[in-house]
Amino acid sequence: MRFMMKPLELNQILDMIAQYAKSDTVKNEILSLEPMTDIDVINEGLNETNDMTMLILRAGLLPFLEDYDIHELLSYASLERVFSIQELLYIRLFLLMERDIIRYYKELDKLKINSESIQKYFSALHSHLSLLNYIQSKMDEDGQILDSATPELTRIRKDLNRYDKQLQDKLQKCLTDYSSYLNEFVIVMRNDRFCIPVKDAYKNKIKGVVHDMSASKQTVYIEPEATRQITAQLEQLKVEEVKEIQKIIALLSEEVNHAYLSLKDNLDVFLALDFITSKARYALTIKGIKPEINSEGYISLIKARHPLLDQETAVPITLELNKEFKTLLITGPNTGGKTVALKTVGLLTMMTQCGLLIPASEASKVAIFNQIFADIGDEQSIMQSLSTFSSHLTKIIAMIENVKDNALVLLDELGSGTDPNEGVSLAIAILNAFKPYDIRMMVTTHYSELKSYAYEQANMGTASVAFDKKTLKPLYYLQMGTTGSSHAFLIARRLGLKEEVVADAETIYQGRQTDLAKVMEKLNDEMLYIEKQKENLAEEITLNRKAKQEYQLSKEKLLSEQDRIIESIKEKEEKKWNNLKDEAREMIIELQKKNDLSKPEIAQLKYKLNQSNELHRIQLFDDELHVNDQVFILPYQQYGKIKSIKNDEYEVTFGKFNLWFKTYDLRKENTKKEPTKATKVVSSNIGETPARTGKYELDLRGYRFEEVKDAIDQTIDSALLSGLMTIRIIHGFGSGAVRKAVYDYIKSSPYIKSHRFGGEGEGLNGVTIITLK
């Protein structure tokens, strides 16, 4: 196995990304992702994902529909098969999505958002707007074929409506003519035929076909002879309607078949964009970035976080591996973050090689490897009777046998699970076995001997997980260049082990500790102090850079705002000046035309000169307005009285109205005008108020789909004026198009309280009774 994906939990990352995919094809493609080794292909995938995150942040998500993948339907199109209405509806939805995605692309151009890596996909799209319009001209969004689809269907639907109306009229006439023979004054359906309920004693009085009899044998349901011919005509028309609809579906299928190749091209583009979008959406949740990649084995992760940890609380790590330090030895206490550091490096490397963005600083660098091996955690095998030590060793043996140059090897707790002396010796031997290869390796351990070994090797670096000696809690981040202690004595004392026992242990340890170990511990403390100073200095530099950037942005914003305001004032004043020049020029021309001016003409010219620019609505005056002042209301050209004042608004009474006005809407009247006594003018109302008696009825038989809304609007208006609360709408039993229009209107109308089909005697399903609010 070239890449050990499961121990590093790449499969969990892919499961999370697959949840964002809109089609099963893309989900399967994501779940089958494996790390790539071609640096150009990897770089292309990273650029696409990074550019898509920018598009999403600036322009929103691409308008993908759920389950848009119509590859199966397109395979039918290649066979020139006739589609069903349901399949045509799926194709229609696909075309609507295509239209919206092309609009999205055009909007990117308007916003001047340019992305070279994504541009190629949008540029490859074909437009099928004419096909979409053609389909929409034949069928609605529910799959109903429109009356206007063809002239023949228009004729058939009109005839259906006409014959349906004739049938209803005939049935009503039969009810009236044979009322003395009937048990009930209703029309009923029997065997899909309209029948009237005739008393058994009079069944021979009426010509027709008997379709049913009541359980009591007292009522016979007869289809009158007078309606049978009309019913036959209706049935014939319905057959013709079905045939015509089949022709229309065949025409639609033919158009789709002609566009098969370009539709398939678009589907391939959408699948690619869906794949990239899924990766980008996941990247946004982990604040992923595009690292700099290389094939020289240079790893520099800065503030990297494990993507499966909570990104808000996860402690970032920083580490480096290069040609000088090919192996990194990590030490420190248990649960301090050593294993997480190994998994973070391995997982982020695999994610990068899959074209995924990683949660780290943008300055991070990731190497591309041909192999990634990992022996992490305790995977003891009960089935194979392998101990923890044997399980680890079996994996390491396979690594040594298969390793080649340009590999990443991650070993957790190397040499553990057996006798410490033997384990240390075996661990050093294993490290020596990997030396001939140009690989990068990370190893975690508790063994002091391995720490000494690392200091003796020219190409090995050390790091330790930080630990707070006061709280005895791990801090989880890495300290490069140091070796950490397990802090066993501190933890034992904190947990309550007797002091004499801990003291005895410390004495035994100091006796066994070598001079080299003591020197290493002192150097380690000095290194930790230097690292802390470096961190403080780096933080201050970052804060200063940020403050400098904010200052520069503020400066640019203020200068830009200043230029905008100056330009706005300049434009406004120039407009005023040009208007004044135009007015003066007109007055000069007017004066030149006249030899002498009369006093009224002079007054008129003075009035024009005193007028403000028409562009400014607010006009100032010196008079103060008070409660009870008489004013002239400019917008209404009426006189009124001020009732109350609130800030710069005035409540004015005029006639029966109390309204609020601004200062510029009012002019004070110095002399109170005597209101003239209004003479009562009797004027006739426009139209007669409808009577409040009888049922209100709207007969829509013979109407077209698009005529229904206006007809119902007018009927409801008249009913409300009349005080009527119930309306009977006759739409017939035809194709259902008119009835659908009625129910579309009912769903959207705020004036309708409830509705139901007609009962027996009211027209059954050919009638809808609505109740107004």
Side-chain angles (χ1 to χ4, degrees), residues 490-527:
L490 290 173
I491 295 172
R493 185 175 282 115
R494 181 64 179 269
L495 293 176
L497 186 62
K498 290 182 179 181
E499 181 59 32
E500 55 267 26
V501 177
V502 178
D504 187 29
E506 289 177 334
T507 301
I508 296 170
Y509 176 73
Q510 289 173 2
R512 298 180 64 181
Q513 193 177 28
T514 64
D515 291 337
L516 177 60
K518 292 176 182 177
V519 172
M520 285 172 56
E521 188 171 342
K522 184 178 179 181
L523 288 173
N524 188 55
D525 291 340
E526 291 179 356
M527 183 70 75

Side-chain angles (χ1 to χ4, degrees), residues 53-282:
T53 60
M54 296 299 105
L55 290 187
I56 293 172
L57 289 173
R58 296 185 63 184
L61 292 169
L62 272 78
F64 283 115
L65 297 176
E66 291 287 346
D67 299 324
Y68 64 85
D69 190 351
I70 59 168
H71 69 278
E72 187 175 350
L73 295 182
L74 292 181
S75 66
Y76 296 155
S78 65
L79 302 174
E80 298 186 355
R81 200 197 75 173
V82 176
F83 295 104
S84 67
I85 287 183
Q86 189 64 40
E87 289 170 339
L88 287 171
L89 281 176
Y90 282 130
I91 293 171
R92 175 183 172 275
L93 286 174
F94 179 84
L95 294 174
L96 285 171
M97 185 186 77
E98 173 197 288
R99 180 199 65 187
D100 293 341
I101 289 176
I102 291 175
R103 286 178 179 174
Y104 178 94
Y105 170 53
K106 291 179 179 178
E107 190 64 26
L108 294 181
D109 191 47
K110 288 181 183 177
L111 296 173
K112 296 182 179 179
I113 301 174
N114 187 23
S115 171
E116 293 182 5
S117 64
I118 306 296
Q119 175 77 25
K120 61 185 179 183
Y121 294 105
F122 288 122
S123 300
L125 287 175
H126 305 274
S127 176
H128 298 95
L129 190 59
S130 59
L131 176 59
L132 174 62
N133 291 336
Y134 182 70
I135 292 175
Q136 290 183 323
S137 71
K138 304 297 182 185
M139 62 191 298
D140 64 14
E141 60 185 12
D142 296 323
Q144 291 287 334
I145 303 298
L146 299 175
D147 294 357
S148 57
T150 62
E152 180 63 15
L153 187 61
T154 302
R155 180 194 66 76
I156 292 170
R157 293 268 173 89
K158 281 184 177 180
D159 288 347
L160 278 170
N161 290 330
R162 180 164 53 83
Y163 280 113
D164 183 68
K165 188 175 186 302
Q166 290 179 13
L167 178 61
Q168 296 297 324
D169 292 341
K170 285 283 187 182
L171 289 168
Q172 292 295 331
K173 187 175 184 303
C174 287
L175 286 177
T176 304
D177 293 345
Y178 303 129
S179 58
S180 59
Y181 302 149
L182 306 180
N183 261 337
E184 295 179 87
F185 197 76
V186 294
I187 299 170
V188 296
M189 291 291 291
R190 292 293 185 272
N191 298 330
D192 295 329
R193 296 299 182 102
F194 292 104
C195 302
I196 55 177
V198 182
K199 296 175 184 177
D200 183 64
Y202 299 108
K203 63 183 179 182
N204 295 323
K205 297 286 187 181
I206 300 174
K207 287 186 177 182
V209 177
V210 176
H211 284 283
D212 199 4
M213 181 177 290
S214 67
S216 64
K217 311 293 184 180
Q218 298 298 314
T219 304
V220 178
Y221 297 99
I222 299 176
E223 178 188 7
E225 185 67 31
T227 64
R228 290 190 65 203
Q229 185 176 358
I230 299 175
T231 303
Q233 288 286 349
L234 283 170
E235 290 176 347
Q236 178 61 34
L237 285 169
K238 287 177 181 178
V239 171
E240 293 178 12
E241 181 187 31
V242 170
K243 289 182 179 179
E244 187 63 22
I245 288 174
Q246 289 174 345
K247 289 181 183 178
I248 294 168
I249 291 173
L251 289 173
L252 292 172
S253 300
E254 186 178 351
E255 292 298 319
V256 173
N257 294 336
H258 287 161
Y260 156 68
L261 291 176
S262 55
L263 285 171
K264 187 177 181 301
D265 290 342
N266 280 7
L267 178 59
D268 292 338
V269 170
F270 294 153
L271 292 173
L273 288 173
D274 189 9
F275 178 74
I276 299 168
T277 300
S278 300
K279 295 193 296 179
R281 292 182 68 182
Y282 175 73

Side-chain angles (χ1 to χ4, degrees), residues 568-582 613 615-616:
S568 175
I569 293 172
K570 180 181 176 183
E571 183 180 344
K572 187 176 180 181
E573 293 304 317
E574 282 182 352
K575 194 171 184 180
K576 287 170 59 178
W577 172 246
N578 290 331
N579 287 336
L580 289 172
K581 284 200 300 184
D582 291 341
N613 195 304
L615 296 173
H616 300 279

Side-chain angles (χ1 to χ4, degrees), residues 548-704:
K548 182 180 178 181
Q549 288 177 351
E550 290 177 352
Y551 167 76
Q552 189 65 28
L553 288 173
S554 298
K555 179 182 176 183
E556 292 175 0
K557 185 177 179 181
L558 287 172
L559 288 174
S560 175
E561 185 68 13
Q562 174 183 297
D563 293 341
R564 188 191 65 79
I565 292 172
I566 291 173
E567 189 64 29
S568 175
I569 293 172
K570 180 181 176 183
E571 183 180 344
K572 187 176 180 181
E573 293 304 317
E574 282 182 352
K575 194 171 184 180
K576 287 170 59 178
W577 172 246
N578 290 331
N579 287 336
L580 289 172
K581 284 200 300 184
D582 291 341
E583 290 180 9
R585 189 179 295 108
E586 289 176 2
M587 292 173 64
I588 291 170
I589 293 171
E590 189 176 346
L591 288 171
Q592 288 174 343
K593 291 179 180 178
K594 298 185 179 181
N595 295 326
D596 192 14
L597 296 175
S598 64
K599 288 184 178 182
E601 288 173 333
I602 293 172
Q604 180 67 18
L605 288 172
K606 287 182 178 180
Y607 173 76
K608 285 184 179 180
L609 288 171
N610 289 330
Q611 292 299 301
S612 298
N613 195 304
E614 290 181 0
L615 296 173
H616 300 279
R617 185 181 173 187
I618 298 176
Q619 302 181 28
L620 304 177
F621 56 90
D622 297 331
D623 296 333
E624 291 187 5
L625 298 176
H626 305 284
V627 175
N628 294 326
D629 279 354
Q630 292 288 330
V631 291
F632 184 70
I633 307 166
L634 294 176
Y636 290 90
Q637 296 293 299
Q638 296 287 333
Y639 292 97
K641 180 191 287 187
I642 296 177
K643 184 178 179 182
S644 62
I645 301 174
K646 184 178 180 181
N647 297 329
D648 191 34
E649 292 189 342
Y650 299 85
E651 184 182 13
V652 180
T653 301
F654 63 104
K656 296 181 180 180
F657 302 99
N658 284 333
L659 299 178
W660 289 89
F661 297 96
K662 294 285 187 181
T663 307
Y664 52 74
D665 288 327
L666 304 175
R667 292 293 174 270
K668 186 174 181 179
E669 291 296 313
N670 294 324
T671 58
K672 183 176 179 180
K673 292 185 178 291
E674 292 294 331
T676 57
K677 187 174 182 180
T679 58
K680 187 173 182 180
V681 179
V682 179
S683 61
S684 60
N685 291 332
I686 300 174
E688 293 291 329
T689 301
R692 294 171 176 261
T693 60
K695 292 185 177 180
Y696 210 89
E697 184 179 280
L698 171 63
D699 190 347
L700 294 174
R701 289 174 295 185
Y703 278 65
R704 297 170 66 88

Side-chain angles (χ1 to χ4, degrees), residues 318-449:
T318 298
L319 59 84
E320 185 173 337
L321 282 173
N322 49 46
K323 290 184 177 180
E324 286 73 30
F325 291 102
K326 296 182 178 181
T327 302
L328 182 65
L329 183 74
I330 304 176
T331 56
N334 287 323
T335 68
K338 301 189 300 297
T339 303
V340 172
L342 256 65
K343 285 188 173 182
T344 301
V345 174
L347 180 57
L348 297 194
T349 301
M350 280 194 176
M351 287 176 63
T352 301
Q353 292 188 221
C354 288
L356 304 175
L357 305 188
I358 61 173
S361 168
E362 292 183 356
S364 296
K365 297 177 176 62
V366 175
I368 304 303
F369 296 102
N370 294 329
Q371 297 173 309
I372 298 179
F373 299 110
D375 176 31
I376 297 175
D378 182 6
E379 297 184 12
Q380 181 173 342
S381 175
I382 297 175
M383 294 292 292
Q384 299 178 9
S385 300
L386 296 177
S387 66
T388 301
F389 175 75
S390 300
S391 175
H392 285 299
L393 194 57
T394 301
K395 291 182 180 178
I396 293 171
I397 291 170
M399 294 180 193
I400 294 173
E401 290 177 349
N402 294 289
V403 70
K404 295 180 176 62
D405 287 343
N406 194 33
L408 176 64
V409 179
L410 308 170
L411 302 175
D412 191 23
E413 301 292 354
L414 181 62
S416 64
T418 187
D419 177 77
N421 291 326
E422 294 180 358
V424 168
S425 301
L426 192 58
I428 293 174
I430 290 170
L431 292 176
N432 289 335
F434 283 111
K435 268 188 177 182
Y437 301 98
D438 184 16
I439 64 174
R440 302 295 176 265
M441 185 159 52
M442 289 178 64
V443 181
T444 67
T445 186
H446 286 286
Y447 294 140
S448 298
E449 291 84 352

